[in-house]
Amino acid sequence: MERTTTSDGDTAIVWFRNDLRVSDNAALMAASRHGAVLPVFIRETNSPARPLGAARTWWLHHSLERLAEKLESLGAPLLLLSGDPARIIPDLVQATGAAAVYWNRRYDPRHQAADAALKAQLQADGLSAESFAGQLLHEPMRLKTGGGTYYKVYSPFWRAMEPDIEKRPPLPAPDALPPLPAKLDIASEALAGWGLLPVAPDWSGGMNEAWTPGEDGARARLVDFLENRMQGYAERRDIPGVDATSGLSPHLASGEITPAQIIEAMRVADTDASSSDLSKFRKEVGWREFSWHLLANDPGLPDRNHNSRFDAFPWIRNETALQAWQKGLTGYPIVDAGMRELWRTGWMHNRVRMVVASFLTKHLMIDWREGEAWFWDTLVDADPASNAASWQWVAGSGADAAPYFRIFNPVLQGEKFDPDGAYVRANLPELGKMPSRFIHRPWEAPDSVLLAAGVRLGKNYPEPIIDHQAARQRALAAYQQIKDAA
Ligand code: FAD
């Protein structure tokens, strides 16, 4: 391959993808030891993977801004380009005379073939092209059961991988990144021109209030969690009305922090959390690993029932009910509070995610793929593995799934996990004055109570769109059908 060299041949290109950080970034560290560094982020116009949803697109804008600032301060400004990486990267090699191209691995099977092909092409051209680990604590294709296959049950998976999770201490950020010796002919595109932020309407106000995208925001959240909020995690993590979980999921999804950094920070933290809090938290991080293990080994996970018995499930198409669910207008306060939290902040508490997912797939009998798609678009932590695996887990069609016949009662779930209604009140202002006794079952409140609370059922808050007992019987009967047919 002919090159018009503008460097001394020691330039390394670092292709950023979903690893928008400078610390614990093995690809960047390897490049910094090479010589001059050219960091690039490509807005892939022909990606084989699903495009990011709206909430993650908003996040990406801010995260790239922060990453660009960090790289600039280390000495190597971030180049932004749009197009096909399989063309852009070789063009950059040619323009810089780079001897190496590095990136951190992504495990979405829809990316893997394209990444492997590009790596092979670059190596064939005589370059040092290498990929590095970081997004996960384990390599999903390497970890195998004794029988040589992949894990489909969480507990043995976790037993197999937990002993190794501290074996790769996180890397620091490079001290400095030597810039290219000569000006590059290829100009960076302007981030503002990519149109990643919503306009007309700008729905991002609640997300701006809730989040600080970027590596520093991730680190600050981790430190605050370990120092101030982790105590009692094992029990409090299920209570949506208290701020008792880390909120690290969107930072992990965009690679602003790595699981290795989290595990290491926990190991050295000066925290009042008990050993059961720490172990519970590690196990939750383990669920993310398990989800990726499943997706890497079952590429159809986001679209296809893992358990093919569900292919015959009689899902109901009901646009009105789907919209009521999406807008948080089902008449069940815990469901509606969750869906409104999601819309406002781009995030929803895990317990409530399970309740709303159960309500959609069991009470409304709407296909889990509809719910997965809505979450994909609206979650700032939307993640191809955790989202698909969790939806299938709740729907009953997944690996190691909750049994289909376990149907959450949204009233009892609300009363158990949000007993004083703090979560509902925070997300449904129209129920703000409802007494706790009726907050999860407003339709049972006497007229005088409704009047005093300013609640007009069917006017400013809906009646339940479906009766719990009737919905439960219908779902169980449908499940029996596919069981009998199997
Ligand atoms: P913490 O309790 O602080 O946990 C720490 C980290 O562990 C999280 O950041 C996350 O990376 C991981 N984790 C925790 N619980 C789970 C879990 N059940 N499955 C996988 N990883 C977990 N998580 C996503 O990151 N992206 C998604 O798209 C996503 N979709 C979901 C859809 C449904 C229907 C359900 C039931 C769960 C989904 N989850 C998803 C998992 C979980 O709800 C979130 O990871 C969690 O609520 C994030 O909040 P946190 O960071 O405060 O969690």
Side-chain angles (χ1 to χ4, degrees):
M1 176 180 183
E2 202 191 325
R3 294 189 199 139
T4 48
T5 308
T6 56
S7 82
D8 58 6
D10 269 344
T11 297
I13 295 169
V14 182
W15 177 21
F16 280 85
R17 296 99 66 86
N18 57 341
D19 50 352
L20 305 180
R21 61 179 183 278
V22 297
S23 58
D24 198 23
N25 187 325
L28 188 64
M29 188 56 102
S32 74
R33 293 187 179 129
H34 220 271
V37 178
L38 174 62
V40 60
F41 179 89
I42 301 170
R43 186 168 57 126
E44 292 173 64
T45 47
N46 64 334
S47 170
R50 184 180 192 181
L52 291 183
R56 275 203 60 186
T57 301
W58 168 85
W59 189 285
L60 177 65
H61 176 98
H62 295 291
S63 193
L64 283 173
E65 267 183 346
R66 300 288 85 77
L67 177 69
E69 287 164 8
K70 285 220 172 272
L71 289 168
E72 178 98 46
S73 72
L74 288 172
L78 179 65
L79 182 66
L80 298 175
L81 295 173
S82 304
D84 179 357
R87 295 172 65 114
I88 289 179
I89 300 281
D91 284 354
L92 287 175
V93 167
Q94 178 126 35
T96 57
V101 179
Y102 297 139
W103 61 70
N104 294 306
R105 278 194 277 290
R106 43 187 179 182
Y107 298 92
D108 186 335
R110 301 190 221 198
H111 281 130
Q112 268 182 336
D115 287 357
L118 178 57
K119 194 198 231 182
Q121 179 197 331
L122 294 168
Q123 286 172 344
D125 287 343
L127 286 139
S128 159
E130 260 190 83
S131 67
F132 297 84
Q135 185 189 336
L136 296 174
L137 296 164
H138 81 295
E139 287 295 299
M141 301 309 286
R142 262 184 237 152
L143 184 69
K144 301 277 183 208
T145 64
T149 175
Y150 70 100
Y151 287 91
K152 293 178 186 150
V153 179
Y154 177 73
S155 301
F157 166 82
W158 184 236
R159 273 198 301 278
M161 75 154 284
E162 194 190 12
D164 287 337
I165 65 176
E166 273 154 11
K167 289 206 177 131
R168 195 184 66 81
L171 298 165
D175 293 332
L177 298 171
L180 296 182
K183 192 170 176 298
L184 191 66
D185 276 346
I186 301 169
S188 182
E189 294 171 15
L191 183 60
W194 282 5
L196 304 180
L197 296 178
V199 281
D202 176 1
W203 38 256
S204 65
M207 301 200 318
N208 277 308
E209 268 172 41
W211 302 105
T212 309
E215 191 169 354
D216 291 346
R219 169 61 44 182
R221 196 171 265 278
L222 173 63
V223 170
D224 174 52
F225 178 63
L226 292 175
E227 288 180 0
N228 308 316
R229 297 186 296 113
M230 195 183 194
Q231 192 180 13
Y233 175 81
E235 291 82 39
R236 286 165 23 109
R237 63 178 284 274
D238 256 332
I239 305 172
V242 298
D243 187 13
T245 70
S246 71
L248 284 168
S249 52
H251 298 288
L252 279 163
S254 292
E256 297 165 352
I257 194 166
T258 64
Q261 289 176 313
I262 297 175
I263 297 294
E264 175 62 10
M266 282 172 67
R267 196 180 65 77
V268 299
D270 181 13
T271 169
D272 292 331
S274 66
S275 60
S276 73
D277 294 333
L278 292 164
S279 128
K280 188 74 196 159
F281 187 75
R282 283 159 69 107
K283 276 198 178 126
E284 293 308 315
V285 175
W287 273 100
R288 175 174 177 272
E289 300 285 322
F290 183 53
S291 303
W292 276 101
H293 186 75
L294 292 173
L295 177 62
N297 288 285
D298 174 11
L301 196 71
D303 323 294
R304 270 201 319 264
N305 294 307
H306 181 82
N307 175 352
S308 58
R309 183 193 284 181
F310 274 77
D311 292 352
F313 193 81
W315 301 114
I316 295 172
R317 288 193 73 85
N318 182 338
E319 198 51 38
T320 312
L322 177 61
Q323 280 187 18
W325 178 81
Q326 291 171 337
K327 291 182 177 160
L329 292 172
T330 67
Y332 285 96
I334 192 76
V335 174
D336 295 339
M339 298 309 291
R340 305 261 195 107
E341 178 181 40
L342 173 61
W343 185 251
R344 189 168 46 81
T345 68
W347 184 89
M348 192 196 302
H349 188 277
N350 180 60
R351 165 61 46 184
V352 191
R353 290 189 203 203
M354 292 196 283
V355 173
V356 304
S358 172
F359 189 83
L360 184 79
T361 55
K362 299 180 182 179
H363 285 74
L364 302 179
M365 275 179 53
I366 291 178
D367 195 326
W368 61 265
R369 282 160 281 226
E370 294 281 3
E372 196 272 349
W374 182 254
F375 271 32
W376 180 261
D377 198 33
T378 53
L379 277 173
V380 285
D381 65 21
D383 170 284
S386 296
N387 200 31
S390 303
W391 271 97
Q392 294 226 40
W393 186 87
V394 176
S397 61
D400 199 11
Y404 187 86
F405 55 79
R406 204 176 292 153
I407 297 175
F408 281 140
N409 177 330
V411 175
L412 298 185
Q413 285 287 309
E415 290 177 344
K416 181 165 179 196
F417 295 107
D418 186 33
D420 56 4
Y423 180 73
V424 165
R425 284 193 192 89
N427 289 289
L428 301 179
E430 62 270 46
L431 297 185
K433 296 202 182 99
M434 262 319 251
S436 301
R437 190 171 154 215
F438 294 109
I439 189 117
H440 292 289
R441 44 178 97 223
W443 59 91
E444 288 181 13
D447 287 348
S448 58
V449 170
L450 289 172
L451 192 66
V455 177
R456 285 171 295 129
L457 287 179
K459 300 262 184 328
N460 63 356
Y461 186 69
E463 305 264 9
I465 58 168
I466 195 157
D467 172 70
H468 167 68
Q469 278 310 334
R472 182 182 147 77
Q473 291 314 323
R474 183 177 71 168
L476 289 176
Y479 180 60
Q480 196 59 42
Q481 261 182 50
I482 58 166
K483 240 178 106 192
D484 292 345

